[in-house]
Structures are given as C-alpha cells and as structure tokens.
Amino acid sequence: MKKSILLFGLSILIIGTLELKAQINIPQPSAKAKVETTVGLTDVAISYFRPSVKGREIFGEGDDFLQPYGVLWRAGANSGSVLTLSTDAVIAGNKVEAGEYLIFMTPGENEWEFKLYSDLSLGGNVGNYDESKELISVIQEVEKLEEPVETLTYQISDISADNKSANIHFRWENVSLKVPFEVSYDELVMAQIEKYTKVDPGNLITAANYYYTNERDLKQALAWVNSYLAEGNNSAQFWNLHLKAKILAKMGDKKEAKKVAEKSIELAKKNSSGDFGYVKRNQDLIDSL
C-alpha cells in the first residue's frame, strides 16, 4: 500500500514538473527564413531572421536610426544570418572554404562593409565580435531603392548562364546590396568522369556532352560517343547520334556530321513513340553546315 502511494506521488510530481517546463509558442516578431539554391554544383543557403520596418527609420546617420551608419550589425535579427556553402567558393574576390559562416555588415551611406565570421556560436552578439575569427571583409556599393522593402530579404540572384557565378542579394528598407561570388565545378566533373565512366558506360554520353558544351577536347568527346554507340543496340539511339553529329560539326567535319544527322533523322522517323523534336534538330544542324 505504501509503495502504491509513493508511486502515485512520484507520478504527480513528474507531471507537475513537465507542466512547469512547458512553453507557450507565439509568433516571433522576426520570422525565421531560409533561401537556398544550387549554383554549378555548389549548394548555397542563407538562414536568417526577418525583421520588418514597422514605420521605423532603419539606416542612416546618428542614433535616431535603428541601425546607424558605421556600426557593426548582425545583418538580420535574433541569432543572426548564416551562409552555408557545400563547396569552396570565391566571394568578392576572396577564397572561402566550404562550411557555415555568420554574416555581418557595417552600413554606410553609399558603401557597406560585408563580413563573414567563422564562429557560429557568436550568434548575433556583436559586442563579442573577435576580428581574429573574421574570414573576409569587403566594401560593396549599395543601391538605393525607390520602392521600399518592408521585411528584410535575402536572395541568391543573378545566376550566370554558365552557372559559375551569382550574387548574395540583401534588401531591406531602401537598400539593396549585392555581393558577387563564383564557384568552380570543372574539377569536380572531371573527377566524376574519371571515376564513373569506368563503372557505367552510360556515363560516356554525359561526359561527351560536358566536353562538347564546355569547349573541351572534342576528339575525346567523339571517342566516348563512339565507344557508347558501339555497345549493343545503342547505335539506334537517334538522340545520341544527334550529339555525335553536333560534335563532328563543331570539329569542322561537315561531311560526316551531315551523314550522322541524316541517319539520326531516319531512325527518329521510325520511332513508334515519336521523334521528340530530333527530326527538326538534325535538319537545323544540316542546314547550318
């Protein structure tokens, strides 16, 4: 009996303790956000908290502004903003290794200082900023916006056509700041080509297409395509014959390119599921020769 009473009392105590530790969740003044994309083969992400203007004056000269010029700022709210890179990158001309970094900024009238900080444990505690842990510090011009941005926003913008560069883009109140960065994927692709074409011959086409697109060794690209087409019934794949025709055309072998393109057209027309546009692609190639 005494044991039962003791267990009952212990249960009440545990429940009471859990109730005391329970917290009520309410919306935060600065919402949590994350923007992420892939540039080249690099995953780029920014995790941050989004304060709003709410009628305040944000950036300017003097203490009347929320964030005065010349004063180091956590570039967001709460615990700050974190940039994550899955591979090495070059940010505003500075090499930055893969990893996670806090973003800090020092606003100015026409130029801002953009900083990356290596110790995430600092969070938004600007007062304990240690310059020895500062990875980069660069000066960037800012643009004044005609249409104000109510809620702080980060983006990965202006991705280049070759997928090798973009901007870390910050906008809030009447300010737009872009910090350029570049990534390199050629070495990564080449390492994969070396490794995986030996495992799966199907990767020969991917490798050949990469060489063709990126102006690399076309003789090697042609050799890979020929090796692939020689396997089994692969020579009936009119879409890959089209790739071979394009490589030959770029090499200047117009006669052979036309011959291969015509064969691709012939096979495409016979395909019961349709030609998927390859009749036209091949004819356009032939017309361009």
Side-chain angles (χ1 to χ4, degrees), residues 20-234:
L20 286 174
K21 288 185 177 181
Q23 295 181 340
I24 298 174
N25 290 321
I26 61 174
Q28 297 299 308
S30 299
K32 186 177 181 181
K34 185 176 184 179
V35 57
E36 54 186 334
T37 191
T38 301
V39 183
L41 293 177
T42 304
D43 296 326
V44 184
I46 301 174
S47 301
Y48 65 108
F49 293 88
R50 307 184 67 195
S52 296
V53 174
K54 296 179 180 178
R56 300 173 294 180
E57 292 187 289
I58 307 300
F59 305 114
E61 189 69 53
D63 294 337
D64 292 337
F65 293 88
L66 180 66
Q67 184 55 48
Y69 291 156
V71 177
L72 185 66
W73 178 48
R74 58 188 168 177
N78 300 345
S79 57
S81 303
V82 177
L83 171 69
T84 303
L85 300 169
S86 66
T87 73
D88 296 351
V90 176
I91 300 179
N94 298 271
K95 184 176 180 181
V96 177
E97 295 182 352
E100 294 182 308
Y101 305 95
L102 283 167
I103 298 173
F104 286 90
M105 300 180 189
T106 303
E109 183 175 1
N110 299 309
E111 295 179 332
W112 284 31
E113 193 170 8
F114 175 89
K115 301 170 180 283
L116 289 182
Y117 192 83
S118 61
D119 184 1
L120 295 189
S121 67
L122 180 65
N125 187 4
V126 177
N128 287 336
Y129 191 92
D130 182 353
E131 289 190 359
S132 69
K133 296 179 180 179
E134 183 179 279
L135 188 67
I136 68 169
S137 178
V138 296
I139 303 296
Q140 295 292 130
E141 291 186 358
V142 294
E143 176 188 354
K144 295 299 176 65
L145 299 173
E146 293 183 4
E147 292 291 331
V149 176
E150 172 66 21
T151 305
L152 187 152
T153 301
Y154 280 99
Q155 293 176 296
I156 307 301
S157 66
D158 308 310
I159 298 175
S160 62
D162 62 4
N163 226 344
K164 291 184 177 181
S165 65
N167 287 315
I168 297 168
H169 191 182
F170 164 92
R171 293 182 302 135
W172 195 30
E173 197 198 29
N174 61 347
V175 174
S176 171
L177 170 68
K178 291 184 177 182
V179 181
F181 69 92
E182 300 174 358
V183 297
S184 176
Y185 51 76
D186 193 62
E187 290 184 7
L188 295 173
V189 173
M190 295 302 292
Q192 292 179 72
I193 288 173
E194 175 65 22
K195 180 179 180 180
Y196 294 123
T197 53
K198 295 177 180 178
V199 176
D200 180 4
N203 286 312
L204 291 168
I205 289 296
T206 302
N209 194 40
Y210 180 79
Y211 265 43
Y212 168 79
T213 304
N214 290 276
E215 308 291 342
R216 298 188 69 90
D217 186 349
L218 293 176
K219 289 184 178 180
Q220 178 62 75
L222 182 61
W224 279 330
V225 170
N226 286 335
S227 294
Y228 175 80
L229 293 174
E231 293 287 331
N233 295 321
N234 290 349

